[in-house]
Amino acid sequence: MPEFNRVVPIMRMFDVGKAKEFYLDFLGAELLWEHRFEEALPLYMAIKLGGCELHLSEHHGDGSPSANIRIETAGLADYHKALLDSGYRYARPGLEKPPWGGCEATVMDPFGNRITFYEADGV
């Protein structure tokens, strides 16, 4: 049986400035790298949030808006507080306890992609 490792989602974006404001400033991600084939062509970039890597792309066909991803998160209550304290005007996520257990906070990026940060019970 082959060994499977990490997953790197590709999320569609339409505005680099809004993407950086949301992912870097609000969520606290780190920019790993950016790539354009030429100056006027779409941007493809990689970001890191703790141990999670996401790719964001302006390229048509790379992902579609309204993607939905879940990110396992340790220390979710503290992260949730940091999100609320950040002053970002376009998202005020709640901290919810779903019927299946654990705790979740969901945010929508400026392009309709939904990110749910979750922590299992007993973590």
Side-chain angles (χ1 to χ4, degrees):
M1 180 71 153
E3 180 180 326
F4 298 97
N5 295 304
R6 66 188 184 124
V7 173
V8 180
I10 301 171
M11 313 267 283
R12 186 72 192 274
M13 67 171 169
F14 299 97
D15 182 303
V16 174
K18 287 181 181 180
K20 288 182 175 181
E21 179 185 27
F22 179 81
Y23 286 97
L24 305 182
D25 299 340
F26 176 51
L27 296 186
E30 169 190 352
L31 178 64
L32 294 176
W33 50 264
E34 296 179 325
H35 177 266
R36 290 182 196 268
F37 287 102
E38 294 177 15
E39 183 61 34
L41 293 180
L43 179 71
Y44 189 98
M45 68 180 179
I47 61 169
K48 180 179 179 184
L49 189 58
C52 176
E53 185 173 326
L54 301 174
H55 290 189
L56 303 168
S57 178
E58 288 185 302
H59 291 272
H60 177 76
D62 279 359
S64 64
S66 301
N68 185 1
I69 65 170
R70 295 175 56 80
I71 299 174
E72 186 175 4
T73 307
L76 181 57
D78 291 337
Y79 183 58
H80 175 257
K81 183 179 179 334
L83 292 177
L84 294 180
D85 291 346
S86 74
Y88 184 70
R89 298 177 1 168
Y90 308 107
R92 305 289 298 163
L95 195 58
E96 301 177 15
K97 295 202 173 282
W100 50 86
C103 196
E104 298 182 350
T106 299
V107 295
M108 295 283 275
D109 79 3
F111 320 108
N113 299 304
R114 182 170 49 186
I115 303 168
T116 299
F117 299 96
Y118 72 94
E119 186 169 31
D121 286 330
V123 176

